[in-house]
């Protein structure tokens, strides 16, 4: 199972480390306890939108940038998870998992889009 709080914590930690800043510096600037910020970075606590905003301000990074990185990592984790799941599915069922067809929706032109997973599995490694 993919935990959003872990992905968010990983992104926040990397942002802080790229700047060469300590937990103490960022927690002081964000006005959050050092212990709580540490727990957020380790994915043990869910950050509220207010707390996330304060941390992003302290790191001088846009929340949208942080969320974009989280979204990218979530996509990779989902691909890795689905690749693992398809390996456990019996061979006759695999073709149904290897491509997904999307047909028209009300108000959308009739076009067929096929989304295929990458040929190679993607490993997601926490920093």
């Amino acid at each position: 199972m993919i935990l959003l709080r872990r992905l968010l914590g990983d992104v926040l930690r990397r942002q802080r480390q790229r700047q060469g800043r300590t937990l103490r510096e960022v927690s002081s600037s964000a006005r959050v306890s050092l212990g709580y910020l540490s727990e957020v970075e380790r994915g043990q606590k869910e950050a509220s939108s207010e707390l996330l905003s304060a941390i992003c301000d302290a790191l001088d990074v846009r929340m949208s940038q942080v969320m974009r990185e989280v979204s990218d990592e979530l996509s990779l984790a989902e691909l890795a998870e689905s690749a693992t799941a398809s390996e456990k599915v019996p061979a006759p069922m695999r073709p149904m998992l290897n491509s997904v067809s999307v047909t028209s929706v009300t108000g959308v032109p009739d076009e067929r889009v096929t989304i295929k997973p990458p040929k190679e599995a993607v490993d997601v490694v926490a920093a």
Side-chain angles (χ1 to χ4, degrees):
M1 176 173 48
I2 302 164
L3 293 178
L4 192 57
R5 69 177 184 252
R6 284 198 183 145
L7 296 176
L8 178 59
D10 290 342
V11 169
L12 291 172
R13 182 185 310 110
R14 276 198 308 274
Q15 284 288 340
R16 178 179 58 76
Q17 289 174 338
R18 281 182 202 139
Q19 296 175 15
R21 297 179 65 194
T22 65
L23 272 170
R24 186 173 309 281
E25 291 169 338
V26 175
S27 69
S28 175
S29 181
R31 294 188 173 156
V32 61
S33 75
L34 185 138
Y36 198 82
L37 178 58
S38 175
E39 288 178 311
V40 168
E41 282 193 359
R42 288 181 282 137
Q44 295 177 337
K45 295 284 186 189
E46 296 273 354
S48 67
S49 56
E50 293 86 358
L51 178 63
L52 182 57
S53 178
I55 295 169
C56 288
D57 287 347
L59 292 170
D60 196 30
V61 64
R62 291 185 178 173
M63 191 183 316
S64 60
Q65 180 182 344
V66 168
M67 298 308 288
R68 193 172 306 113
E69 285 185 48
V70 170
S71 177
D72 291 345
E73 289 193 17
L74 179 58
S75 293
L76 291 173
E78 287 173 334
L79 284 172
E81 196 172 73
S82 69
T84 302
S86 69
E87 290 172 2
K88 296 176 184 176
V89 175
M93 304 232 6
R94 283 194 191 142
M96 293 191 308
L97 294 176
N98 287 337
S99 67
V100 177
S101 294
V102 178
T103 56
S104 69
V105 179
T106 306
V108 177
D110 281 338
E111 293 182 21
R112 190 172 206 88
V113 177
T114 302
I115 302 169
K116 295 184 179 180
K119 294 180 182 179
E120 297 178 11
V122 177
D123 290 334
V124 177
V125 179

